[in-house]
Amino acid sequence: MDKKSLANIKKLLIQKKAELLNKTHFTKSSIDSKTNEEVGDEIDTAVQNVERELIFELAANDNITLQEIKDAIGKIEKNVYGFCECCAKPINKERLEAIPWGRYCIKCQEEAEKPKKYQG
């Protein structure tokens, strides 16, 4: 991948990282406010618990993506960006433009997502 493309991808990664950090801060504030809400009846408590769990799940997903973005930026800085972590082959440029923090080529990603057959 040429230097200009890498610079553009790094810029996108830094922007996405900033967005996720802001979102994470907002999510933490939401969790804190939900924790301090007064509880009503059983249905109110159930709804609040579901909302809290959803917020935790979204925050966990954002933290995973944030770490993948940090890893991708590190790879760019070490000049090892754009190679599949499984087969070590170059990742398609279009894939990296769509998911700049992608770690695997399409073939390896599809293989990893296939349901495992039970060998009992």
Side-chain angles (χ1 to χ4, degrees), residues 21-76:
L21 287 171
N22 287 335
K23 187 176 174 187
T24 301
H25 177 72
F26 176 76
T27 302
K28 185 180 180 323
S29 299
S30 294
I31 291 170
D32 291 344
S33 71
K34 295 271 184 216
T35 303
N36 296 327
E37 285 182 2
E38 290 188 30
V39 178
D41 61 14
E42 291 175 8
I43 293 177
D44 291 335
T45 302
V47 169
Q48 290 169 0
N49 287 338
V50 168
E51 287 175 351
R52 205 172 299 126
E53 287 298 319
L54 180 59
I55 291 170
F56 281 131
E57 186 68 30
L58 292 171
N61 289 339
D62 287 345
N63 284 332
I64 291 168
T65 303
L66 189 57
Q67 186 57 53
E68 290 174 344
I69 288 170
K70 289 177 183 178
D71 292 345
I73 292 170
K75 288 178 184 180
I76 289 172

Side-chain angles (χ1 to χ4, degrees), residues 5-20:
S5 295
L6 277 176
N8 287 337
I9 287 177
K10 186 174 181 181
K11 183 179 175 183
L12 287 172
L13 287 166
I14 291 169
Q15 288 173 342
K16 185 66 174 177
K17 179 181 169 187
E19 288 173 21
L20 285 174

Side-chain angles (χ1 to χ4, degrees), residues 84 86 95 104-116:
C84 178
C86 185
R95 178 169 173 75
Y104 306 107
C105 66
I106 291 174
K107 182 179 176 185
C108 291
Q109 184 71 46
E110 287 174 349
E111 190 64 34
E113 291 177 356
K114 280 184 183 176
K116 303 293 183 219

